[in-house]
Amino acid sequence: MDLAQRVKNSIRDIPDYPKKGIIFKDITTLLNDGELFSEVIDYFAKKYENVDFVCGIESRGFIFGAAIAAKIKKGFVPLRKKGKLPYTTIAEKYALEYGFDEIEIHIDAFKDIKNPKVLLVDDLIATGGTAEAAIKLIQKIGGDVVAAAFLIELTFLDGADKIRELGVDVDSLVKY
């Protein structure tokens, strides 16, 4: 059985969470399998070993992004919700189902590296709003997003297409 199918088999569906009609994809069952989690990190690390930084979107993007960054011995940059980073930041708003939210990045996240190649990481891409905001932030501070990597893609919500329209490659291990 290939890696994508083993990962898919490891993800638990939680019906009606966080609200009725949603089938939540619970990745804690994957994270609990040390061997499989390690294989997922190896899969992405091998493909993106030549980036300069890995950026992870709060919060599950931190899990995968930091592990990939450590594996390839590159810096990890957190993208956090407004007000959670301690130094000078810039922010980007994005639309939610009802309303808006904001994410931030430190203005000096890429140190003095000019045009660093950046891998953006999150656990799941749905509508693509958060990833789109993250890409804009990374670009605003001089980063070149070479790819956006996700464990899971919900294809019926077209978020990956939105990211591709920005000129960024999308890599999803598992698709629903």
Side-chain angles (χ1 to χ4, degrees), residues 3 30 33-44 71:
L3 178 61
L30 164 68
D33 182 336
E35 187 172 319
L36 186 57
F37 177 60
S38 181
E39 285 183 59
V40 168
I41 299 308
D42 289 347
Y43 167 83
F44 287 116
K71 182 77 176 181

Side-chain angles (χ1 to χ4, degrees), residues 73-95:
K73 296 179 175 47
K74 302 295 176 159
F76 175 75
V77 176
L79 293 155
R80 299 214 55 196
K81 293 182 192 252
K82 187 168 180 61
K84 299 290 185 180
L85 290 172
Y87 187 63
T88 307
T89 62
I90 60 169
E92 186 74 30
K93 283 188 177 183
Y94 60 97

